[in-house]
Amino acid sequence: MKKWLWAIPALLIIIQLVRIDKNNPPADPENDYLSIVNPPSETTQLIKASCYDCHSNHTRYPWYSNVAPVSWLLRNHIVEGRKHLNFSEWAAYDAEKQAHKTEECAEVIGEKEMPMKGYVWLHPEARLSDAQRQQMMEWFSVGSKDEGREGD
């Protein structure tokens, strides 16, 4: 039975040949949520740090995005995240969808579903304090409804 144990490291080496696509789709700043809605600067930084890697076309790929099978899981999270909400394509959503998306943002942030625990573990800058979480929930619940307002 021990003779086949060599297969495990060999398989781990071979799967490194299956690379993920790390190209970000083009992003027009005029279509971006932050450009359109113009949140206060502190809120903008929180959204960028906590949301944009998976929910925009501005993904930054860390070192572990080169290691399979972790890279495959990462890529799946990004694809699914963009499919559900893509801040880079905010202008393509109609007003009703935008309102629904902001309500969902407030809800998942309030319920501590986002940012995901695994993401925060690897990206401590995305960790939200209770006050920051409250700030984002308020912004998505109230502040973002006043599109185009001047940020602080």
Side-chain angles (χ1 to χ4, degrees):
M1 185 156 144
K2 292 182 181 181
K3 291 180 182 180
W4 62 270
L5 286 178
W6 64 268
I8 295 171
L11 181 61
L12 288 173
I13 292 169
I14 291 170
I15 67 173
Q16 300 313 307
L17 299 174
V18 181
R19 312 298 286 174
I20 63 167
D21 177 11
K22 294 188 203 175
N23 293 316
N24 285 320
D28 182 348
E30 291 183 16
N31 296 329
D32 192 271
Y33 174 82
L34 296 174
S35 296
I36 293 169
V37 182
N38 194 22
S41 59
E42 187 178 337
T43 305
T44 295
Q45 292 309 312
L46 291 173
I47 293 169
K48 282 183 177 180
S50 300
C51 310
Y52 263 51
D53 262 354
C54 294
H55 295 284
S56 79
N57 295 343
H58 300 284
T59 302
R60 295 168 294 144
Y61 289 93
W63 66 268
Y64 56 85
S65 66
N66 295 310
V67 181
V70 175
S71 60
W72 305 340
L73 181 63
L74 175 69
R75 183 67 186 154
N76 183 60
H77 280 279
I78 293 166
V79 168
E80 290 299 314
R82 286 178 182 160
K83 188 186 319 179
H84 189 71
L85 169 64
N86 190 333
F87 286 114
S88 295
E89 298 174 6
W90 189 255
Y93 300 148
D94 62 36
E96 185 177 333
K97 190 168 188 172
Q98 288 177 354
H100 178 70
K101 294 295 183 188
T102 56
E103 288 171 16
E104 282 185 325
C105 287
E107 183 179 318
V108 298
I109 291 167
E111 293 175 358
K112 298 184 177 182
E113 293 176 19
M114 290 286 160
M116 294 173 63
K117 286 181 175 108
Y119 182 78
V120 172
W121 183 66
L122 292 167
H123 301 269
E125 71 278 5
R127 183 171 290 117
L128 299 172
S129 68
D130 289 340
Q132 291 170 324
R133 194 172 292 282
Q134 186 63 37
Q135 177 183 348
M136 287 182 70
M137 287 170 36
E138 288 174 9
W139 171 257
F140 284 121
S141 296
V142 179
S144 67
K145 306 295 187 269
D146 186 15
E147 288 190 14
R149 73 182 205 159
E150 287 299 312
D152 293 346

